[in-house]
Amino acid sequence: MTRYDEIGVGYALGRRTDPRWLAPVLDALGSAATVLDVGSGTGSYEPPSRQVVAVEPSAEMIRQRPPAAAPVVRAVAEALPFASATFDAALAVLTVHHWPDWRAGLDELRRVARRQVVLAYDTRLHNDFWLVREYVPEVASLERSRPSAPEIAEVLGASSMIELPVPWDFTDGVFPAYWRRPEAYLDPAVRRSCSALAQTAPAAVDRGIARLRADLESGRWHAEHADLLDRAEWDAGFRLIVA
């Protein structure tokens, strides 16, 4: 059983494609006609109008893929079952931090495709998110154990690393998606779709959410974070890496 067979139940309900991120992903793929989507999950950012093959190790995530999604092979990034240079591009969206041997996985991306497009995040900026800093600091140790976007870019020898800010009304429920909508984190379904919270000790998450609930009821959160309320977007550290 993979990690997402345990924490991925209901994932597709909270993690929906946002066109404001899909557009730069498509641009980064350039003219690639054949694309391997590694760690594809439910297929949120699989490019339309291209020949796509997906790779996903979790049976639970595969079960949630829509009928029109690309054909999927159950495999892991570190051992892709394809010959070298099979694809024009390899795509990996918010998945590298879950790979047990992420460097080996990146080597595999380079082996099977001439172009690599990886959406990752700077763990330092993730740890500066108010939910981590003020309510669930235990998340920080998990994030520090994960590869950060600059590390991934260096290993790939990236040609570019593009900032992808998080809009205030983002539809893809990534961990910091609700940076301006804190009430959302009171919803257990929202928390389950965030791997950083799903993989943190439940007692620590419960304590933090209880504090957040109290601060929302008292008005303290809004008073202390008034600077966020007029922002249209926020940089949580997400980076689109192209090599």
Side-chain angles (χ1 to χ4, degrees):
M1 178 179 288
T2 72
R3 178 179 299 144
Y4 267 91
D5 285 331
E6 298 176 3
I7 69 174
V9 176
Y11 185 91
L13 298 176
R15 302 297 297 271
R16 299 182 300 278
T17 309
D18 193 297
R20 290 164 291 188
W21 273 16
L22 180 59
V25 167
L26 297 179
D27 288 344
L29 289 170
S31 61
T34 57
V35 178
L36 181 66
D37 184 14
V38 180
S40 61
T42 59
S44 295
Y45 291 95
E46 288 173 3
S49 304
R50 318 244 184 158
Q51 185 178 339
V52 179
V53 175
V55 168
E56 172 56 47
S58 166
E60 175 59 32
M61 298 298 275
I62 291 172
R63 186 187 65 78
Q64 296 178 62
R65 292 172 64 82
V72 60
V73 176
R74 193 172 182 189
V76 297
E78 295 92 336
L80 296 173
F82 304 99
S84 298
T86 297
F87 300 91
D88 295 329
L91 175 66
V93 175
L94 297 178
T95 178
V96 175
H97 58 282
H98 292 304
W99 299 351
D101 187 344
W102 61 273
R103 289 180 176 85
L106 295 181
D107 286 344
E108 281 287 87
L109 296 190
R110 289 188 292 190
R111 182 183 66 80
V112 302
R114 291 178 289 275
R115 185 178 187 86
Q116 301 85 43
V117 177
V118 176
L119 203 171
Y121 60 88
D122 187 321
T123 56
R124 179 184 56 84
L125 291 178
H126 252 44
N127 279 345
D128 195 40
F129 178 32
W130 57 259
L131 187 61
V132 178
R133 194 176 61 243
E134 300 170 27
Y135 296 98
V136 194
E138 292 83 359
V139 168
S141 61
L142 171 64
E143 296 290 17
R144 285 193 293 267
S145 73
R146 291 172 160 180
S148 193
E151 291 180 272
I152 294 169
E154 181 177 4
V155 170
L156 284 175
S159 58
S160 65
M161 187 165 65
I162 304 160
E163 178 183 314
L164 292 186
V166 181
W168 78 270
D169 57 349
F170 201 46
T171 59
D172 186 349
V174 293
F175 178 39
Y178 306 98
W179 58 270
R180 211 183 93 173
R181 296 170 287 168
E183 295 83 0
Y185 293 107
L186 304 182
D187 184 346
V190 166
R191 299 197 298 273
R192 281 195 299 271
S193 70
C194 303
S195 70
L197 293 175
Q199 292 179 253
T200 298
V205 175
D206 290 345
R207 283 195 302 270
I209 296 303
R211 288 196 298 269
L212 174 60
R213 186 187 303 275
D215 285 352
L216 290 172
E217 290 174 353
S218 70
R220 179 179 178 181
W221 187 93
H222 288 83
E224 294 191 352
H225 297 283
D227 61 307
L228 295 179
L229 301 179
D230 292 328
R231 293 192 191 184
E233 59 185 26
W234 176 65
D235 179 16
F238 293 102
R239 300 292 183 264
L240 189 60
I241 301 161
V242 183

